[in-house]
Amino acid sequence: MLTRIDHIGIACRDLDAAIAFYRRTYGFTVAHEEINEEQGVREAMLKINETDGGGASYLQLLEPTRPDSAVAKFLEKNGEGVHHIAFGTADVAGEAAAIADTGVRVLYDTPRRGTLGSQITFLHPKDCGGVLTELVQAPSPGTHS
Ligand code: CMX
Ligand code: CO
């Protein structure tokens, strides 16, 4: 089951400038910042709300760390803007397998590491009406990675 909007991913050229915009305009503040080398991003998570079923919803601001990364390619083609949406689930592998059975391409054979040790995978935007879609399983409470 997909239980929440986990986050909306936003591609930006300058992470610090984007953080300043969201603070100045909406009062949102950074809950967490990290570099994910595998994904080729420097990222900040801005928490918007907690959800009733556990977990939370965030904006994920993404600055590329290298020119061959997904976000760098997106910026080159489209400029700054919404890059992907992400749904939260307690079972990312199970959800991905069920969605693959419907004919949608899942980009990873096994989930990879996302923010704060979450488990993530992606669905191909060409199979999702032009929307790059991520599935996220939050790390278990007490897990640090
Ligand atoms: N949203 C919608 N469409 C997208 C897209 C996006 N974010 N990124 C690429 N596309 C479209 C392109 O416009 C292009 O369409 P056309 O063929 O009509 O021109 C097509 O998909 C292929 O795009 P591409 O630029 O040639 O890029 P690639 O095929 O090399 O990669 C994708 C596309 C989705 C496979 C790649 O971006 C990917 O693997 N994404 C998942 C990983 C990721 O995005 N990581 C960063 C976020 C990390 C995080 O959230 O933690
Ligand atoms: Co994301």
Side-chain angles (χ1 to χ4, degrees):
M1 204 176 20
L2 303 176
T3 51
R4 66 183 186 281
I5 304 279
D6 186 275
H7 62 268
I8 296 171
I10 297 172
C12 58
R13 296 187 198 284
D14 180 339
L15 184 66
D16 298 325
I19 290 170
F21 169 81
Y22 280 96
R23 186 191 305 115
R24 182 172 71 239
T25 311
Y26 307 112
F28 297 150
T29 54
V30 174
H32 173 73
E33 240 183 281
E34 74 178 66
I35 291 174
N36 185 330
E37 293 291 1
E38 185 179 30
Q39 294 295 331
V41 295
R42 189 160 84 89
E43 60 164 274
M45 292 297 240
L46 314 185
K47 191 189 271 189
I48 308 303
N49 66 286
E50 308 269 347
T51 61
D52 292 344
S57 298
Y58 300 87
L59 291 183
Q60 181 185 37
L61 306 179
L62 299 157
E63 178 193 279
T65 57
R66 48 171 204 269
D68 64 340
S69 63
V71 173
K73 284 178 77 174
F74 178 91
L75 282 169
E76 191 160 318
K77 189 169 177 189
N78 306 285
E80 295 185 312
V82 174
H83 179 258
H84 64 272
I85 63 170
F87 296 121
T89 173
D91 177 15
V92 66
E95 288 300 326
I99 290 169
D101 282 345
T102 71
V104 169
R105 280 169 287 172
V106 175
L107 296 183
Y108 303 152
D109 289 338
T110 52
R112 295 187 186 170
R113 185 189 183 286
T115 313
L116 279 168
S118 58
Q119 298 275 314
I120 61 172
T121 194
F122 289 88
L123 312 178
H124 201 289
K126 292 293 175 191
D127 296 345
C128 300
V131 179
L132 176 59
T133 304
E134 179 181 353
L135 308 179
V136 185
Q137 181 177 335
S140 330
T143 302
H144 297 285
S145 50

Short mmCIF file of all heavy atoms in Angstrom, two decimals, residues 1-9 45-60 82 84-89 131-138:
data_model
loop_
_atom_site.label_atom_id
_atom_site.label_comp_id
_atom_site.label_asym_id
_atom_site.label_seq_id
_atom_site.Cartn_x
_atom_site.Cartn_y
_atom_site.Cartn_z
N MET A 1 0.84 -1.20 0.00
CA MET A 1 0.00 0.00 0.00
C MET A 1 0.89 1.26 0.00
O MET A 1 1.87 1.32 0.73
CB MET A 1 -0.88 -0.02 1.25
CG MET A 1 -2.12 0.78 1.07
SD MET A 1 -3.29 0.73 2.46
CE MET A 1 -2.35 0.20 3.86
N LEU A 2 0.49 2.21 -0.82
CA LEU A 2 1.17 3.52 -0.81
C LEU A 2 0.37 4.41 0.13
O LEU A 2 -0.82 4.60 -0.06
CB LEU A 2 1.21 4.10 -2.22
CG LEU A 2 1.87 3.21 -3.28
CD1 LEU A 2 1.76 3.84 -4.67
CD2 LEU A 2 3.33 2.93 -2.94
N THR A 3 1.03 4.96 1.13
CA THR A 3 0.27 5.56 2.24
C THR A 3 0.39 7.08 2.36
O THR A 3 -0.27 7.68 3.20
CB THR A 3 0.71 4.94 3.57
OG1 THR A 3 2.14 5.00 3.64
CG2 THR A 3 0.26 3.49 3.67
N ARG A 4 1.28 7.67 1.59
CA ARG A 4 1.42 9.14 1.71
C ARG A 4 2.21 9.69 0.55
O ARG A 4 2.89 8.94 -0.15
CB ARG A 4 2.13 9.51 3.02
CG ARG A 4 3.58 9.04 3.06
CD ARG A 4 4.28 9.35 4.38
NE ARG A 4 5.69 9.01 4.28
CZ ARG A 4 6.17 7.78 4.38
NH1 ARG A 4 5.36 6.76 4.55
NH2 ARG A 4 7.45 7.55 4.26
N ILE A 5 2.16 11.01 0.36
CA ILE A 5 3.16 11.69 -0.44
C ILE A 5 4.38 11.80 0.46
O ILE A 5 4.33 12.50 1.48
CB ILE A 5 2.71 13.12 -0.84
CG1 ILE A 5 1.38 13.12 -1.56
CG2 ILE A 5 3.81 13.81 -1.65
CD1 ILE A 5 1.41 12.79 -3.02
N ASP A 6 5.45 11.08 0.16
CA ASP A 6 6.66 11.20 0.99
C ASP A 6 7.36 12.52 0.69
O ASP A 6 7.74 13.24 1.60
CB ASP A 6 7.61 10.03 0.73
CG ASP A 6 8.78 10.07 1.69
OD1 ASP A 6 9.77 10.78 1.39
OD2 ASP A 6 8.70 9.43 2.74
N HIS A 7 7.54 12.81 -0.61
CA HIS A 7 8.14 14.10 -0.95
C HIS A 7 7.90 14.45 -2.41
O HIS A 7 7.50 13.62 -3.21
CB HIS A 7 9.64 14.14 -0.64
CG HIS A 7 10.49 13.15 -1.41
ND1 HIS A 7 10.78 11.90 -0.94
CD2 HIS A 7 11.12 13.25 -2.60
CE1 HIS A 7 11.56 11.26 -1.81
NE2 HIS A 7 11.78 12.06 -2.84
N ILE A 8 8.16 15.70 -2.70
CA ILE A 8 8.22 16.19 -4.08
C ILE A 8 9.66 16.63 -4.29
O ILE A 8 10.21 17.39 -3.47
CB ILE A 8 7.24 17.35 -4.29
CG1 ILE A 8 5.81 16.84 -4.09
CG2 ILE A 8 7.42 17.96 -5.69
CD1 ILE A 8 4.77 17.92 -4.07
N GLY A 9 10.29 16.10 -5.34
CA GLY A 9 11.69 16.41 -5.62
C GLY A 9 11.78 17.58 -6.59
O GLY A 9 11.12 17.61 -7.62
N MET A 45 16.07 18.19 2.78
CA MET A 45 14.68 17.82 3.01
C MET A 45 14.04 18.88 3.91
O MET A 45 14.54 19.14 5.02
CB MET A 45 14.59 16.45 3.70
CG MET A 45 15.04 15.29 2.84
SD MET A 45 14.00 15.11 1.38
CE MET A 45 13.37 13.48 1.59
N LEU A 46 12.93 19.45 3.44
CA LEU A 46 12.17 20.43 4.23
C LEU A 46 10.89 19.74 4.66
O LEU A 46 10.07 19.36 3.81
CB LEU A 46 11.84 21.66 3.39
CG LEU A 46 12.98 22.27 2.55
CD1 LEU A 46 12.48 23.54 1.88
CD2 LEU A 46 14.20 22.57 3.39
N LYS A 47 10.70 19.56 5.96
CA LYS A 47 9.50 18.83 6.41
C LYS A 47 8.29 19.74 6.35
O LYS A 47 8.29 20.85 6.88
CB LYS A 47 9.68 18.32 7.84
CG LYS A 47 8.59 17.34 8.24
CD LYS A 47 8.62 16.99 9.71
CE LYS A 47 9.51 15.81 9.98
NZ LYS A 47 9.37 15.34 11.39
N ILE A 48 7.23 19.26 5.69
CA ILE A 48 6.00 20.04 5.56
C ILE A 48 5.00 19.64 6.63
O ILE A 48 4.37 20.48 7.26
CB ILE A 48 5.36 19.84 4.16
CG1 ILE A 48 6.40 20.09 3.06
CG2 ILE A 48 4.15 20.75 3.98
CD1 ILE A 48 7.06 21.46 3.10
N ASN A 49 4.82 18.34 6.82
CA ASN A 49 3.87 17.87 7.84
C ASN A 49 4.15 16.42 8.20
O ASN A 49 4.75 15.68 7.44
CB ASN A 49 2.42 17.98 7.34
CG ASN A 49 2.14 17.07 6.18
OD1 ASN A 49 2.59 17.33 5.06
ND2 ASN A 49 1.43 15.98 6.42
N GLU A 50 3.70 16.03 9.39
CA GLU A 50 3.66 14.62 9.79
C GLU A 50 2.37 14.04 9.21
O GLU A 50 1.42 14.79 8.95
CB GLU A 50 3.61 14.50 11.32
CG GLU A 50 4.69 15.26 12.06
CD GLU A 50 5.95 14.42 12.30
OE1 GLU A 50 5.88 13.19 12.13
OE2 GLU A 50 6.98 15.01 12.65
N THR A 51 2.32 12.73 9.01
CA THR A 51 1.09 12.14 8.48
C THR A 51 0.45 11.25 9.54
O THR A 51 1.12 10.76 10.43
CB THR A 51 1.36 11.33 7.20
OG1 THR A 51 2.25 10.26 7.52
CG2 THR A 51 1.97 12.20 6.13
N ASP A 52 -0.87 11.03 9.41
CA ASP A 52 -1.62 10.27 10.42
C ASP A 52 -1.11 8.84 10.56
O ASP A 52 -1.06 8.29 11.64
CB ASP A 52 -3.11 10.22 10.04
CG ASP A 52 -3.75 11.60 10.15
OD1 ASP A 52 -3.14 12.47 10.79
OD2 ASP A 52 -4.83 11.79 9.58
N GLY A 53 -0.71 8.25 9.42
CA GLY A 53 -0.30 6.85 9.45
C GLY A 53 1.17 6.66 9.77
O GLY A 53 1.74 5.61 9.49
N GLY A 54 1.83 7.66 10.31
CA GLY A 54 3.28 7.59 10.53
C GLY A 54 3.99 8.17 9.33
O GLY A 54 3.42 8.28 8.25
N GLY A 55 5.25 8.53 9.50
CA GLY A 55 5.99 9.15 8.41
C GLY A 55 5.67 10.62 8.30
O GLY A 55 4.99 11.21 9.15
N ALA A 56 6.16 11.24 7.24
CA ALA A 56 6.01 12.67 7.07
C ALA A 56 6.06 12.99 5.59
O ALA A 56 6.33 12.11 4.77
CB ALA A 56 7.13 13.41 7.81
N SER A 57 5.76 14.24 5.26
CA SER A 57 5.86 14.70 3.87
C SER A 57 6.87 15.84 3.80
O SER A 57 6.90 16.71 4.68
CB SER A 57 4.49 15.19 3.37
OG SER A 57 3.57 14.13 3.38
N TYR A 58 7.67 15.83 2.74
CA TYR A 58 8.79 16.76 2.60
C TYR A 58 8.81 17.38 1.20
O TYR A 58 8.23 16.82 0.25
CB TYR A 58 10.12 16.02 2.75
CG TYR A 58 10.35 15.32 4.06
CD1 TYR A 58 9.89 14.02 4.26
CD2 TYR A 58 11.04 15.94 5.10
CE1 TYR A 58 10.12 13.35 5.47
CE2 TYR A 58 11.28 15.29 6.30
CZ TYR A 58 10.81 13.99 6.47
OH TYR A 58 11.04 13.33 7.67
N LEU A 59 9.52 18.48 1.08
CA LEU A 59 10.07 18.90 -0.21
C LEU A 59 11.52 18.44 -0.22
O LEU A 59 12.22 18.59 0.79
CB LEU A 59 10.03 20.41 -0.38
CG LEU A 59 8.68 21.08 -0.52
CD1 LEU A 59 8.89 22.59 -0.74
CD2 LEU A 59 7.89 20.49 -1.68
N GLN A 60 11.97 17.90 -1.33
CA GLN A 60 13.37 17.46 -1.47
C GLN A 60 14.02 18.36 -2.52
O GLN A 60 13.70 18.28 -3.70
CB GLN A 60 13.42 16.00 -1.92
CG GLN A 60 14.84 15.46 -2.06
CD GLN A 60 14.87 14.03 -2.63
OE1 GLN A 60 14.07 13.70 -3.50
NE2 GLN A 60 15.79 13.22 -2.13
N VAL A 82 10.01 21.05 -10.88
CA VAL A 82 9.63 19.77 -10.26
C VAL A 82 10.27 18.63 -11.04
O VAL A 82 10.10 18.53 -12.26
CB VAL A 82 8.10 19.60 -10.21
CG1 VAL A 82 7.73 18.21 -9.70
CG2 VAL A 82 7.47 20.67 -9.32
N HIS A 84 10.48 15.07 -9.61
CA HIS A 84 9.76 13.81 -9.39
C HIS A 84 8.82 13.94 -8.20
O HIS A 84 8.92 14.87 -7.40
CB HIS A 84 10.75 12.64 -9.17
CG HIS A 84 11.59 12.75 -7.94
ND1 HIS A 84 12.80 13.41 -7.91
CD2 HIS A 84 11.41 12.27 -6.68
CE1 HIS A 84 13.33 13.31 -6.70
NE2 HIS A 84 12.51 12.64 -5.93
N ILE A 85 7.90 12.96 -8.13
CA ILE A 85 7.07 12.82 -6.94
C ILE A 85 7.43 11.49 -6.29
O ILE A 85 7.91 10.57 -6.97
CB ILE A 85 5.56 12.88 -7.24
CG1 ILE A 85 5.13 11.72 -8.15
CG2 ILE A 85 5.19 14.22 -7.86
CD1 ILE A 85 3.61 11.59 -8.27
N ALA A 86 7.22 11.39 -4.98
CA ALA A 86 7.58 10.17 -4.27
C ALA A 86 6.46 9.76 -3.33
O ALA A 86 5.99 10.56 -2.52
CB ALA A 86 8.86 10.38 -3.47
N PHE A 87 6.03 8.50 -3.46
CA PHE A 87 5.02 7.94 -2.58
C PHE A 87 5.68 7.10 -1.49
O PHE A 87 6.63 6.35 -1.78
CB PHE A 87 4.05 7.04 -3.35
CG PHE A 87 3.25 7.76 -4.39
CD1 PHE A 87 3.32 7.38 -5.72
CD2 PHE A 87 2.41 8.81 -4.04
CE1 PHE A 87 2.57 8.04 -6.69
CE2 PHE A 87 1.66 9.48 -5.01
CZ PHE A 87 1.74 9.09 -6.34
N GLY A 88 5.18 7.17 -0.27
CA GLY A 88 5.71 6.40 0.84
C GLY A 88 4.98 5.07 0.98
O GLY A 88 3.77 4.98 0.72
N THR A 89 5.73 4.05 1.39
CA THR A 89 5.17 2.72 1.61
C THR A 89 5.98 2.01 2.69
O THR A 89 7.15 2.34 2.90
CB THR A 89 5.20 1.88 0.31
OG1 THR A 89 4.79 0.54 0.61
CG2 THR A 89 6.60 1.84 -0.31
N VAL A 131 5.57 11.57 -15.55
CA VAL A 131 5.94 11.92 -14.17
C VAL A 131 6.94 10.89 -13.64
O VAL A 131 6.58 9.71 -13.45
CB VAL A 131 4.69 11.94 -13.25
CG1 VAL A 131 5.09 12.28 -11.82
CG2 VAL A 131 3.65 12.92 -13.78
N LEU A 132 8.18 11.30 -13.42
CA LEU A 132 9.14 10.42 -12.75
C LEU A 132 8.62 10.19 -11.33
O LEU A 132 8.35 11.14 -10.60
CB LEU A 132 10.53 11.06 -12.72
CG LEU A 132 11.61 10.28 -11.94
CD1 LEU A 132 11.83 8.89 -12.51
CD2 LEU A 132 12.92 11.07 -11.94
N THR A 133 8.45 8.91 -10.97
CA THR A 133 7.79 8.56 -9.71
C THR A 133 8.72 7.67 -8.88
O THR A 133 9.25 6.69 -9.39
CB THR A 133 6.45 7.84 -10.01
OG1 THR A 133 5.65 8.69 -10.84
CG2 THR A 133 5.71 7.53 -8.73
N GLU A 134 8.88 8.05 -7.63
CA GLU A 134 9.75 7.33 -6.71
C GLU A 134 8.89 6.63 -5.67
O GLU A 134 7.83 7.15 -5.29
CB GLU A 134 10.69 8.34 -6.03
CG GLU A 134 11.66 7.77 -5.02
CD GLU A 134 12.54 8.87 -4.37
OE1 GLU A 134 12.49 10.04 -4.81
OE2 GLU A 134 13.25 8.53 -3.41
N LEU A 135 9.33 5.48 -5.21
CA LEU A 135 8.70 4.79 -4.08
C LEU A 135 9.72 4.79 -2.94
O LEU A 135 10.89 4.49 -3.17
CB LEU A 135 8.34 3.35 -4.44
CG LEU A 135 7.51 3.14 -5.71
CD1 LEU A 135 7.27 1.65 -5.94
CD2 LEU A 135 6.19 3.90 -5.65
N VAL A 136 9.28 5.11 -1.74
CA VAL A 136 10.18 5.27 -0.59
C VAL A 136 9.69 4.46 0.60
O VAL A 136 8.53 4.56 0.98
CB VAL A 136 10.23 6.74 -0.10
CG1 VAL A 136 11.26 6.90 1.01
CG2 VAL A 136 10.51 7.70 -1.23
N GLN A 137 10.60 3.69 1.16
CA GLN A 137 10.34 3.03 2.44
C GLN A 137 11.22 3.70 3.47
O GLN A 137 12.46 3.63 3.38
CB GLN A 137 10.66 1.54 2.33
CG GLN A 137 10.40 0.75 3.59
CD GLN A 137 10.67 -0.74 3.39
OE1 GLN A 137 10.61 -1.26 2.28
NE2 GLN A 137 10.97 -1.43 4.47
N ALA A 138 10.61 4.35 4.43
CA ALA A 138 11.37 5.08 5.45
C ALA A 138 12.23 4.11 6.24
O ALA A 138 11.86 2.93 6.39
CB ALA A 138 10.42 5.82 6.38
#
